[in-house]
Structures are given as C-alpha cells and as structure tokens.
Amino acid sequence: MSNNEIADKVKKIVVEHLGVEESKVTPNASFIDDLGADSLDTVELVMAFEEAFSVEIPEDTAEKIATVSDAIDYISKQKAS
Amino acid sequence: MSGAGTNRKRVVVTGMGAVSPLAVGAELTWKRLTEGHSGIGPITHFDPSELAARIGGQVPEGPTEEGGLTLSDWVIPKDQKKMDRFIHLGLAAAIQAVEDSGWKPENEEDRCATGVMIGSGIGGLQTIYENSLAVANGKARRLSPFFIPAALINLASGHLSIRYGFKGPNHAAVTACATGIHAIGDASRLIQHGDADVMVAGGTEAAICALGIAGFCSARALSTGFNDEPTKASRPWDKERDGFVMGEGAGVLVLEEYEHAKRRGAKIYGEIGGYGLSGDAHHITAPAAGHEGAYRAMTAALKDAQTDVSEIGYVNAHGTSTMADDLELAAVERRFGDHARHLAMSSTKSSIGHLLGAAGAIEAIFCLQALRDGVIPPTLNLDNPARETVIDRVAHEAQERKINVALSNSFGFGGTNASLILKRFAE
C-alpha cells in the first residue's frame, strides 16, 4: 500500500467517523480542535485505523496521534517496517 | 382544583411529544388512535421466525411530514451510532415536546431551573446484544468506546440535557412497565419541591429485538396465537387474549410550575392532579391477589389529588391483554364503587401494544388529549369480554364524552404500581 493510498484511506475513515466534510480533513487538522472530536471519538478513530490497516497502535502512541498527518505518518512507518 | 386551599405548587403540562407504532407525532398518533387504527404488524427489526411471538408495534419508517420516522431529522448521523435506538426514539419525542412548549431558557438561572427525567424499562438491549456477540467472538478489545453510554438508561436524559443546555435535575426512572408514570410523577414532585421550574419527563423503549422478544417469550408473557392476524393480537379483557404485544416508542411531556407557565403565556394542556405509588411485595411478575397494589396506588393518587372518585371520568387502564387485566378491572371496580357505572375505561395498548417503560408516558398524553377533545380512545378487539362489568370499556370505537379528570395506571415487574391523575386545566 503506497503512502498516498494510506493517506486517502485515513481521510475516508475520519470523514466517516467524525461526520465532517472531506475538504476539512487537511494534514494539519487536529481531530479535537478542528474536526469536533471528543476523547471517546479519538479512541474509536484509533480502533478504526487498527482495523482498517491491520496494525496495533499502543495506547501511549495513540495518545500522541492528534492530527491527520500524525495518523498517516505512524501507519506509513508501521507498514514500511 | 388541585392546590386550592394548600400552598403546594401546581404543575401543568405545556408540551407533548410522541413516537409510537401509529406515528411520529403526538397529534397524528392521537388521530389514528381515535380512528381505531392498529399499529401492530409483523416484526421486521430482526428475523423472529424461530420464536413463538413474531408480531409487534414498530414505529413506522418514512418522511417526518407523513408521521414516519426519519432518524436524521432528529439525530445527526455522526451521533446516531453513539446511542441505542431507545435513545433515538426518546430524543425524537423529547425534541417535539420541548419545541411544542416554546420553552427556551436563555440565561443560566433558567437553564438551571430546567431538568430532565426520561426513563426506560430496559434500555439499550440491542446494543448490549451486539457488543456481547463481539466479546464472544474474541473482540473484547475492539468494543466501541460508545458502547456503555449508548446502552445506559439515563443517557436519554443525558443527551437531552446536553442538546438544550438544561442544567437542572438530570434523572431517569427505571421501574419496568411503570417507568413512564413514575418519571412524570417524580418529576412533578421535583417541581413541587422547588428543585426545578420545568421538567422534561417521560419514557422511551426499543425492545423489539431478538433478546427482548425471546426473553418475554420465555416468560410466557407475549401473545403467540395471532401471528397471522397481528391487528387482532392485543385484546385487553377479551376471552381470546393470550399475552401482550410488544410495542416500541416514546412519550415525553414538558411539565411546568403553573406560575412559571402563566408568566410566559404558555399554552396549557392540562394539570398533573395527583400521583400515587405502591409495591406488591408478592411476586416478580404476577400481581398480588385482587391487585390490591393497584388499589392502593389509585387510592394514593386520589388522596394526593384531593379528588373524589366521582370526579374521574376516564381511566386509561394498564390492560396489557393478559390474565392480569381482570384483576385490574376488579381493583378499579372496588376503588370506584357506585361511580364505576359512570366510568369509561379503555386500554390503548389494544392499538399500539405495550411500550413497557414508555407506556405510562404515552398513555398520559392520551389522557390529556381525551380531556382536551372530549373523546375517549377505544379498546380494540374487545369482542367477548371474559368478565362483565358496569364500566364502559369503549369497545371498538372511540366515544365522545366530556370529562374533567382522568386516571392512568401502570404496573411493572417487581410488583411496582403507579397511578397518575390528570385534570382539565382551570385557573
């Protein structure tokens, strides 16, 4: 899976789970500050990433995934290794 | 009227909302109810073919303006999956009631004086079922973080409070099939006690799911003999009755302290006259001999309302279409004595089924509408009464009858009983 494909899939999951418009899901968008997520939404979001990409995201890492690009970068690294 | 000669605060109803097997909307539900329609049909929420009971009163899907349920008109799609269906239905009814009342607290004091009390008998059963399956399939670590708040009974109240910024008492009654009356009665007491000026109160239920139907089937509580003729299945007091029919939906009232309602020029549907509660201390599902718990609940409500039985014109019976119907009938006869012959009593469950924790709330709305319109809703399917009575049970067709006071009964598993008295409003 290319990095572009990962980015597209992450954006799609964010749009679906947070009910936001695709145009708002920019790389620097913060789930909580910009996309209206609460703490439970972010837990669910991380679970959705884990499911969609078949990766494990440990809890202390999950807490650091605050923006769209944080998610894309982490998942890309996992997939590359 | 209530309150005369005492210092007790008066509680009036200034908003109503309903979601029922007949319609989404209190007025359309009432119209279809009094026209003699039935909301009972085959269960489609899940495949019931393995079960003995395969019918229920499901809320019709469809455009909101035609009285159907279009969920996205009430709850935005992103939030829908964070709530069980019982919360969806409760919110739809509560939003109607709040909008109907015109009450919009604009400052902190008013927000803090407005509370919520939406109960449910069972809560998020389908959500619990789905998450149990996930655990059984080795996905315990993948449960949604919204599972618990989606299933908790008091989260109908919680979501309502958040939506409108109501910061007063945030409560939920849970007393099985007596929930609706307990919510309205207890919320009225909170107003009388000064804890709030306005309470949005009622009940909601969505237990037409595999666990709900299978569980009540095992308890031998549901009708099983009318799967091919669903509209005939709910037949309170009739010889052929063979159990209740499960319905889903919600009923919500806006209760308001009278002076508060008067100051803002609110329209008033009626007054909460009195409220009575009792316990059977007898059996988990069966009423006590002579339904003496029902008798005591009615007595307590009459005393609370400072009302003589002769003032009551209509009783909305618990009447679930089970053997217990005749016990309630006997208790009402005994309670009303000579006045029984002047009484109308119907069971609207014949039309919408048994909405469990929402039943008492939606039936309180029917009482208010009966008081307002001078129309008593019918008992459908009462072809051959198992027991004769001098009370007019309004068989088959609605009846015009001017009444000033109505009483509604609800009884729940665990031997819990509640009666609510509603009055035509007079200054």
Side-chain angles (χ1 to χ4, degrees):
Chain A
M1 188 178 271
S2 74
N3 285 1
N4 275 345
E5 283 169 334
I6 289 172
D8 285 348
K9 205 165 169 184
V10 164
K11 281 181 194 165
K12 201 170 153 242
I13 290 167
V14 173
V15 166
E16 217 170 87
H17 279 264
L18 300 183
V20 289
E21 281 175 32
E22 210 179 324
S23 60
K24 289 194 173 160
V25 188
T26 57
N28 290 329
S30 154
F31 299 128
I32 289 177
D33 296 335
D34 301 319
L35 300 177
D38 62 24
S39 58
L40 293 182
D41 285 315
T42 60
V43 173
E44 196 181 50
L45 211 48
V46 166
M47 280 184 177
F49 295 148
E50 289 182 322
E51 188 91 23
F53 296 101
S54 305
V55 295
E56 284 275 331
I57 305 179
E59 218 166 294
D60 51 347
T61 308
E63 281 167 14
K64 289 177 199 139
I65 298 179
T67 66
V68 176
S69 62
D70 289 346
I72 295 170
D73 291 349
Y74 181 79
I75 293 162
S76 301
K77 262 185 220 154
Q78 294 297 304
K79 285 301 191 187
S81 60
Chain B
M1 305 304 295
S2 173
T6 75
N7 292 323
R8 192 167 87 177
K9 288 180 179 173
R10 297 173 72 182
V11 178
V12 294
V13 178
T14 57
M16 307 196 295
V19 173
S20 81
L22 288 171
V24 173
E27 294 309 329
L28 192 53
T29 293
W30 176 242
K31 179 171 181 285
R32 290 176 179 168
L33 178 76
T34 50
E35 285 171 356
H37 293 285
S38 167
I40 311 301
I43 287 173
T44 58
H45 285 344
F46 69 100
D47 175 8
S49 54
E50 276 182 44
L51 298 171
R54 299 189 287 278
I55 54 171
Q58 298 182 169
V59 173
E61 299 288 325
T64 302
E65 56 276 14
E66 290 168 25
L69 181 68
T70 300
L71 190 52
S72 54
D73 287 351
W74 307 100
V75 183
I76 57 171
K78 166 172 101 80
D79 289 341
Q80 287 174 13
K81 65 180 183 344
K82 300 177 182 177
M83 310 168 188
D84 185 85
R85 183 174 173 84
F86 88 96
I87 300 178
H88 296 156
L89 303 184
L91 277 179
I95 292 165
Q96 293 167 37
V98 171
E99 305 295 325
D100 182 40
S101 76
W103 172 238
K104 281 200 183 88
E106 310 244 329
N107 59 50
E108 192 67 359
E109 193 186 345
D110 284 348
R111 281 190 286 273
C112 291
T114 306
V116 292
M117 174 116 57
I118 314 294
S120 181
I122 296 185
L125 200 56
Q126 176 65 14
T127 297
I128 293 169
Y129 170 70
E130 287 165 7
N131 283 274
S132 302
L133 285 183
V135 171
N137 289 323
K139 298 203 165 185
R141 295 184 58 203
R142 308 226 67 88
L143 295 192
S144 164
F146 296 105
F147 158 47
I148 298 293
L152 289 180
I153 284 184
N154 69 302
L155 263 283
S157 284
H159 280 289
L160 180 62
S161 150
I162 292 164
R163 184 181 185 110
Y164 286 103
F166 297 153
K167 292 179 155 183
N170 182 333
H171 206 330
V174 181
T175 49
C177 305
T179 296
I181 287 188
H182 278 135
I184 293 167
D186 290 353
S188 301
R189 296 256 162 110
L190 290 178
I191 293 173
Q192 284 165 347
H193 199 69
D195 295 289
D197 291 329
V198 181
M199 288 293 297
V200 186
T204 182
E205 204 76 78
I208 302 182
C209 57
L211 274 186
I213 298 294
F216 279 103
C217 263
S218 291
R220 301 291 183 271
L222 296 177
S223 169
T224 57
F226 295 87
N227 288 315
D228 298 327
E229 302 172 281
T231 62
K232 306 256 184 240
S234 188
R235 40 194 318 116
W237 298 299
D238 189 78
K239 270 183 188 155
E240 307 295 320
R241 72 194 188 279
D242 69 340
F244 81 80
V245 177
M246 180 95 81
E248 63 172 359
V252 176
L253 301 179
V254 174
L255 304 170
E256 192 164 348
E257 193 270 320
Y258 167 57
E259 296 296 337
H260 188 276
K262 191 170 141 186
R263 272 200 302 279
R264 70 180 187 93
K267 71 175 172 307
I268 293 175
Y269 286 104
E271 179 168 1
I272 304 297
Y275 168 50
L277 315 78
S278 74
D280 286 347
H282 171 66
H283 185 269
I284 52 172
T285 61
H291 226 318
E292 66 88 26
Y295 181 90
R296 285 186 290 113
M298 289 188 277
T299 302
L302 288 160
K303 185 180 170 216
D304 186 48
Q306 301 171 350
T307 294
D308 185 73
V309 290
S310 62
E311 292 180 56
I312 309 272
Y314 171 57
V315 173
N316 186 298
H318 187 57
T320 56
S321 187
T322 62
M323 290 306 135
D325 297 352
D326 290 338
L327 298 178
E328 180 187 12
L329 173 61
V332 171
E333 284 174 337
R334 192 157 72 88
R335 179 59 269 179
F336 284 81
D338 288 343
H339 179 64
R341 67 186 63 252
H342 304 295
L343 205 58
M345 172 163 78
S346 63
S347 171
T348 45
K349 291 184 179 77
S350 60
S351 174
I352 62 172
H354 188 357
L355 273 56
L356 310 182
I362 204 159
E363 287 159 14
I365 292 175
F366 296 156
C367 286
L368 290 161
Q369 290 166 320
L371 288 163
R372 179 192 65 192
D373 295 350
V375 173
I376 308 294
T379 305
L380 304 184
N381 301 315
L382 182 50
D383 299 331
N384 298 294
R387 192 175 167 285
E388 291 301 331
T389 177
V390 294
I391 298 170
D392 185 341
R393 284 175 287 188
V394 200
H396 305 299
E397 280 180 21
Q399 202 178 86
E400 283 189 25
R401 186 190 282 240
K402 190 173 181 299
I403 54 167
N404 293 314
V405 189
L407 179 147
S408 187
N409 282 331
S410 287
F411 317 126
F413 281 3
T416 176
N417 312 295
S419 299
L420 187 71
I421 291 177
L422 299 127
K423 293 183 168 184
R424 176 192 295 281
F425 177 72
E427 289 270 345

